């Protein structure tokens, strides 16, 4: 028969309590047959691009527009810098949409990790410029829970500004699994 | 004049595609302005600061 050992931590002073829910039904919680750390609800955020950001032609420009949080469960998103720096290590699904109000022929959003291009989204490239271009990006990225951060950048062929309408320019992230 | 415009003035043969592939200009919205993050063009040399200042 396999066994269960409860092991305290010599460095800590807190008491770990395993609490039962309010139920009259017997339940069995089976632990996975792996070594690792069980996680509780991880960080998740969604922010709208409520601030108009300037995008420079021919330049991968950070979209410093995400100033309005819809939710930020672990206070890991900084609206002042439009930067997500989670405090829980793990693999995160990062998504964003960038919409510009300017007539463009090239419009391209990317996820940057620690200031370097990590994943490019769809490249909108059309023969004649049209207004209201939108480019989206979604990727899975490992963040160390300490110093790693992600931001959204955009590349356009002519100087542009981002759309501040809610739900048009946005940035979201969620912990998929811990490290 | 932006960094992109200065480089285009130096090398008019460059295209917007070049700036998505072999050349990467970057602006981190931190007040430091545009800079060359990558220059891997097969034939054109990375412009010097002096060349860019003259534009």
């Amino acid at each position: 028969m396999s066994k269960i050992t409860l092991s305290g931590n010599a460095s800590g002073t807190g008491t770990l309590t395993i609490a039962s829910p309010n139920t009259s039904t017997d339940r069995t919680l089976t632990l996975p047959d792996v070594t690792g750390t069980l996680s509780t609800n991880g960080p998740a955020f969604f922010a709208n691009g409520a601030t108009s950001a300037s995008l420079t032609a021919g330049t991968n420009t950070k979209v410093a527009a995400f100033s309005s949080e819809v939710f930020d469960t672990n206070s890991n998103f900084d609206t002042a810098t439009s930067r997500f720096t989670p405090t829980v290590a793990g693999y995160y699904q990062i998504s964003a949409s960038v919409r510009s109000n300017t007539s463009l022929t090239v419009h391209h959003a990317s996820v940057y990790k620690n200031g370097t291009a990590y994943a490019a989204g769809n490249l909108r490239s059309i023969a004649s410029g049209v207004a209201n271009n939108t480019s989206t990006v979604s990727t899975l990225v490992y963040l160390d829970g300490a110093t790693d951060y992600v931001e959204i950048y955009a590349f356009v062929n002519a100087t542009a500004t981002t759309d501040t309408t809610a739900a048009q320019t946005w940035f979201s992230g969620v912990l998929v699994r811990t490290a | 004049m932006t960094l992109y415009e200065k480089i285009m003035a130096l090398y008019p043969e460059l295209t917007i595609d070049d700036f998505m592939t072999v050349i990467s200009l970057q602006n981190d919205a931190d007040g430091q302005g545009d800079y060359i993050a990558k220059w891997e063009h097969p034939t054109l040399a990375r412009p010097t600061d002096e060349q860019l200042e003259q534009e």
Side-chain angles (χ1 to χ4, degrees):
Chain A
M1 175 184 289
S2 57
K3 304 170 185 175
I4 292 178
T5 299
L6 297 178
S7 177
N9 189 308
S11 301
T13 59
T15 300
L16 179 67
T17 301
I18 299 176
S20 172
N22 181 8
T23 179
S24 299
T25 305
D26 291 344
R27 306 287 189 191
T28 299
L29 181 64
T30 303
L31 298 174
D33 184 17
V34 295
T35 298
T37 302
L38 292 177
S39 66
T40 55
N41 292 335
F45 78 95
F46 186 100
N48 275 314
T51 299
S52 179
S54 296
L55 306 176
T56 306
T59 305
N60 292 290
T61 306
K62 176 182 166 180
V63 182
F66 305 104
S67 58
S68 177
E69 289 179 343
V70 177
F71 57 84
D72 182 11
T73 62
N74 209 41
S75 300
N76 289 157
F77 185 77
D78 185 348
T79 55
T81 60
S82 292
R83 176 181 292 183
F84 178 57
T85 312
T87 52
V88 179
Y91 299 86
Y92 287 81
Q93 187 71 39
I94 300 296
S95 305
S97 173
V98 179
R99 177 179 165 118
S100 301
N101 286 327
T102 312
S103 180
L104 299 167
T105 56
V106 175
H107 194 271
H108 193 206
S110 297
V111 172
Y112 273 52
K113 176 183 177 181
N114 300 331
T116 302
Y118 179 81
N122 68 305
L123 170 62
R124 183 184 173 98
S125 181
I126 48 181
S128 59
V130 297
N132 303 323
N133 292 268
T134 299
S135 179
T136 58
V137 60
S138 186
T139 190
L140 192 64
V141 59
Y142 173 78
L143 301 171
D144 67 5
T147 59
D148 283 347
Y149 60 90
V150 287
E151 300 164 310
I152 302 303
Y153 280 63
F155 181 94
V156 290
N157 70 298
T159 298
T161 54
T162 58
D163 191 330
T164 58
T165 307
Q168 297 299 330
T169 298
W170 52 265
F171 183 8
S172 71
V174 61
L175 177 66
V176 176
R177 59 160 290 175
T178 53
Chain B
M1 200 174 196
T2 66
L3 177 59
Y4 170 73
E5 291 168 339
K6 290 178 180 178
I7 292 173
M8 287 303 292
L10 275 171
Y11 298 127
E13 62 268 49
L14 287 173
T15 67
I16 195 71
D17 285 344
D18 291 320
F19 289 86
M20 292 188 288
T21 52
V22 292
I23 300 168
S24 178
L25 308 183
Q26 191 165 324
N27 186 317
D28 299 322
D30 56 1
Q32 300 301 306
D34 305 341
Y35 62 93
I36 300 174
K38 179 180 77 172
W39 189 283
E40 296 175 350
H41 196 281
T43 58
L44 300 177
R46 177 178 178 137
T48 65
D49 291 341
E50 290 73 20
Q51 286 177 300
L52 294 173
E53 288 170 5
Q54 289 171 1
E55 290 299 326

